[in-house]
Amino acid sequence: TDANTPELSLVKTIVKLGHSLGLEIVAEGVETEEQCRHLIRLNCHLGQGFLFARPMPAPKIEALLAGQGNQPGSQQPAIPRQAIAGD
């Protein structure tokens, strides 16, 4: 994705506005690692979307949050180390 798209400009503006108001920003609909890297560069470190997990029933979410979702075969977020470091 081009870094100078109108969509990215809008995201930058919203994140800056939220930070200036002292709000914690949560990005919704994060689907790709590239989107995740852009958000981290913008100092937006919270998000939800298909990149992290597909919709699931409440008991499965509860197990995941309780740390029981790390068994082999469970779907885990695929965020590259560079994205986490903000590279």
Side-chain angles (χ1 to χ4, degrees):
T1 304
D2 185 359
N4 294 315
T5 64
E7 293 85 0
L8 186 57
S9 294
L10 181 60
V11 171
K12 287 178 184 179
T13 301
I14 291 169
V15 170
K16 284 182 183 181
L17 175 63
H19 286 152
S20 71
L21 294 171
L23 300 174
E24 194 167 37
I25 309 303
V26 179
E28 294 191 14
V30 181
E31 296 181 358
T32 68
E33 292 176 1
E34 182 180 11
Q35 290 171 335
C36 185
R37 284 190 295 271
H38 279 299
L39 291 163
I40 290 169
R41 284 187 199 113
L42 296 174
N43 200 25
C44 180
H45 298 278
L46 299 175
Q48 68 83 30
F50 286 165
L51 176 64
F52 307 107
R54 297 286 178 175
M56 62 184 80
K60 190 167 181 178
I61 293 171
E62 291 168 356
L64 184 67
L65 293 174
Q68 299 170 8
N70 295 328
Q71 284 120 27
S74 66
Q75 186 175 359
Q76 296 297 313
I79 303 174
R81 186 162 187 79
Q82 309 90 286
I84 294 169
D87 295 339

